[in-house]
Amino acid sequence: MSRILMRSLCFLLLAAGLLTACSKKKSGNGPAKPQEQGLVVTLTDVSETTPTAAPGASYPFSVNVTSTMPAQGVTVTVEVKTQAGTVIPQPPMPPQTGTPIQVTLVDLPELKTCTVTITIASVNDPEKNSVTKTFVITNKTDGPGN
């Protein structure tokens, strides 16, 4: 009786192993994509630790990708919000393949402090390869001609 039980158990284990092996899905067509180097980014002409002073309603700065630039480039998304939470729309940027990347903030409100969040993401793998930087900026002017 135990011999029949052992054979049945071996058969069940073998069948389960075959079902598991045969049910594996293929992982795509062709070889796996090489993994990109993680993005490393620095900002020029702004401070991430102390507020930056803008001399007017617009302010240019640079984003430097110091790691290897992904083959298809990066997207740059800029969000500017006042302390009250009002979003100040910024012009969209096309994908970038060179560094430094020139960014100009626009429509900064007079005598107000804003938080700028800039996200740099690989065009090829934005979910796994992105960097977000944040800094504070204040437009120090109080109107045209002042």
Side-chain angles (χ1 to χ4, degrees), residues 109-138:
E110 299 168 0
L111 299 175
K112 297 219 188 249
T113 299
C114 298
T115 300
V116 179
T117 304
I118 183 163
T119 302
I120 300 90
S122 165
V123 169
N124 189 47
D125 197 357
E127 295 295 319
K128 293 182 181 174
N129 197 6
S130 67
V131 174
T132 299
K133 298 280 191 171
T134 302
F135 63 92
V136 174
I137 192 164
T138 302

Side-chain angles (χ1 to χ4, degrees), residues 79-130:
E79 180 182 74
V80 178
K81 282 187 182 179
T82 64
Q83 290 178 320
T86 303
V87 175
I88 301 167
Q90 298 298 302
M93 295 181 66
Q96 304 289 310
T97 56
T99 191
I101 300 165
Q102 302 302 318
V103 179
T104 300
L105 302 176
V106 297
D107 299 327
L108 297 173
E110 299 168 0
L111 299 175
K112 297 219 188 249
T113 299
C114 298
T115 300
V116 179
T117 304
I118 183 163
T119 302
I120 300 90
S122 165
V123 169
N124 189 47
D125 197 357
E127 295 295 319
K128 293 182 181 174
N129 197 6
S130 67

